[in-house]
Amino acid sequence: MGIRSVSMRRSSAQRTRAPAQIAYSIVDTALGRLIVAGTERGVCFAGLGDSDRALIAELRSDFPHAIARRDDSITLNWSRAVAVYLDGRSAMPDVPLDISGTLFQLQVWEQLRAIPAGATRSYSEIARRIGRPRAARAVGTANGANPVSILIPCHRALRSSGHLGGYRWGLERKRKLLELESRPRSAPARPR
C-alpha cells in the first residue's frame, strides 16, 4: 500500500489516546500549506490549508491534551515526502502512521487504504465491504474523522450519486487530489 508501518489502535472514542508530545512541520505544496505532525511512532495528523495559524489550530483542536511544537528534525522528512506526492512527482510516500480510532473507524480507514490511486468508491460500497451495508452515513462520518488525510486517502470516497461529498480541507482540493492521482507517477518517496 505504500505505508511502511501502521500503528492503528482501537480506542473508545476518536483520538482519546493523545500523545504527550507531538512534533509538526509545515511546508508548501501544489495544494497549499501542508502540516504533518507525528510522534516517535509515526504521523498522527496531516492536513492542508492556506494558513499556518489555522492548520496549527486544527492540530491543537484534534489533540487538546498534547504538547504540539514545531520540530522539523522529527517531521520534516515526512512532510517533504507528502509534498513531493502532492506535487505529482512520486507515488504515495512510505511513512509510518500512529493513529487511533474506534473499531468501526479502523475498518473504514483500512478500506480507504485499499482504494488504488486514481480510483474511488462510494460510502455505500465501503459499508458493504466491511459487512455493514446500511452504514453508509456512518462510513461518511468515519471518513471525516480520519486524522491523516492524504495518507489514508479519504478523498477517494464519494457519495453514491458520484458527487464529491465533503472534504475537511475543501472540495476544490479533493477534486485536485483525484485529478493528480489519475496521472502516472514514479516510485514512492522514501523519507530518511
Side-chain angles (χ1 to χ4, degrees):
M1 274 312 324
I3 297 175
R4 167 178 68 237
S5 162
V6 181
S7 175
M8 294 195 338
R9 285 174 293 286
R10 184 176 174 187
S11 68
S12 58
Q14 172 72 16
R15 290 183 219 101
T16 57
R17 185 207 55 83
Q21 300 276 328
I22 296 176
Y24 67 86
S25 296
I26 301 176
V27 296
D28 279 317
T29 74
L31 297 178
R33 300 292 282 167
L34 167 73
I35 187 170
V36 173
T39 68
E40 68 283 350
R41 292 181 177 164
V43 176
C44 63
F45 181 85
L48 293 163
D50 298 316
S51 155
D52 290 7
R53 181 177 289 183
L55 288 171
I56 294 165
E58 289 270 353
L59 170 64
R60 290 192 170 132
S61 173
D62 278 16
F63 294 94
H65 303 294
I67 298 168
R69 63 181 170 40
R70 187 168 196 144
D71 186 346
D72 290 340
S73 71
I74 295 173
T75 55
L76 187 59
N77 287 335
W78 295 334
S79 298
R80 286 181 177 160
V82 177
V84 168
Y85 174 72
L86 293 175
D87 290 343
R89 295 182 286 149
S90 86
M92 181 69 76
D94 186 19
V95 299
L97 299 180
D98 182 15
I99 59 176
S100 63
T102 66
L103 178 59
F104 183 80
Q105 288 169 332
L106 296 175
Q107 289 172 332
V108 170
W109 298 341
E110 281 297 324
Q111 282 300 312
L112 293 171
R113 291 181 58 226
I115 303 171
T120 59
R121 291 198 182 125
S122 71
Y123 300 130
S124 296
E125 184 177 347
I126 294 168
R128 281 192 303 279
R129 287 175 180 256
I130 62 172
R132 304 276 304 273
R134 300 175 67 114
R137 282 188 178 202
V139 165
T141 300
N143 192 46
N146 171 14
V148 288
S149 301
I150 304 155
L151 297 171
I152 292 181
C154 53
H155 58 278
R156 296 180 191 159
L158 306 176
R159 291 183 175 168
S160 295
S161 64
H163 290 100
L164 293 180
Y167 189 59
R168 182 177 188 176
W169 312 111
L171 287 180
E172 188 55 31
R173 283 191 178 98
K174 182 173 184 171
R175 188 179 343 276
K176 287 180 180 179
L177 273 167
L178 292 171
E179 287 172 12
L180 177 82
E181 290 183 337
S182 67
R183 297 183 212 140
R185 302 174 171 254
S186 60
R190 291 203 178 264
R192 293 175 236 211

